[in-house]
Amino acid sequence: MRQSKYFYLQIQGEGLDSIKLKNSIDFPSEALVKGQKVFFEPTNETIIMDINRWSYFDKSHDDTSIEEFLMKNLERIIDYKPVLEYYINKYESLLEIEIHIRDITSNFNICLSKYVISLLHKLEVKFSISFIDL
């Protein structure tokens, strides 16, 4: 089974200084401002931002397991929880995993270790997993 994995942590809201947040984090992230045109890769669409948004994004098109991919990204973000916590609590935030699946068989399971679940718990953010059959 071939799969692509996308990881997003997004924080958005009126009054969010997304540029300040981007400059406070020492890993690749994106600061978007209201009115800015943005190309959204997964859907190949250009959108105009209607709100300020900060986002961290990662993708994987290899055989890395979903759990390994999620763990790598969560560990990176948890290191910055003291900075992110204020923004996560004050603004709308969402951590999302998208799994794009090709050549799916009749069975597909996802198992997350206690460690990964504890990382999700520590981050204290809404979490969503989406499976997209290509």
Side-chain angles (χ1 to χ4, degrees):
M1 171 179 34
R2 294 175 31 213
Q3 55 182 267
S4 297
K5 296 165 281 297
Y6 297 88
F7 181 101
Y8 306 92
L9 174 60
Q10 298 182 4
I11 301 171
Q12 65 182 22
E14 290 296 328
L16 171 66
D17 188 341
S18 55
I19 295 169
K20 179 180 178 182
L21 177 53
K22 178 180 173 42
N23 292 335
S24 301
I25 301 291
D26 190 26
F27 58 77
S29 61
E30 185 174 42
L32 305 171
V33 295
K34 190 173 184 174
Q36 182 178 350
K37 289 184 181 180
V38 180
F39 178 73
F40 188 63
E41 182 184 340
T43 60
N44 293 319
E45 294 177 289
T46 298
I47 59 172
I48 297 175
M49 295 303 301
D50 60 356
I51 199 161
N52 294 343
R53 177 186 299 163
W54 172 88
S55 61
Y56 165 70
F57 169 75
D58 192 19
K59 63 183 173 184
S60 172
H61 302 294
D62 60 21
D63 291 333
T64 303
S65 74
I66 294 167
E67 180 176 34
E68 288 176 73
F69 178 69
L70 182 56
M71 184 171 48
K72 174 190 86 163
N73 284 287
L74 287 171
E75 287 174 341
R76 172 179 261 181
I77 288 169
I78 288 294
D79 287 343
Y80 289 91
K81 185 177 179 190
V83 174
L84 291 170
E85 188 170 36
Y86 166 80
Y87 295 97
I88 287 171
N89 290 330
K90 184 169 182 175
Y91 300 100
E92 181 183 341
S93 55
L94 175 66
L95 188 148
E96 183 175 18
I97 299 290
E98 279 188 12
I99 313 298
H100 295 208
I101 304 167
R102 292 181 178 86
D103 307 326
I104 192 166
T105 61
S106 59
N107 294 324
F108 179 74
N109 297 317
I110 180 171
C111 296
L112 299 178
S113 67
K114 290 178 185 179
Y115 176 67
V116 169
I117 291 171
S118 74
L119 290 174
L120 286 166
H121 178 72
K122 286 178 188 175
L123 195 55
E124 299 183 56
V125 66
K126 289 182 209 173
F127 177 61
S128 169
I129 300 178
S130 302
F131 295 92
I132 300 169
D133 185 7
L134 298 176

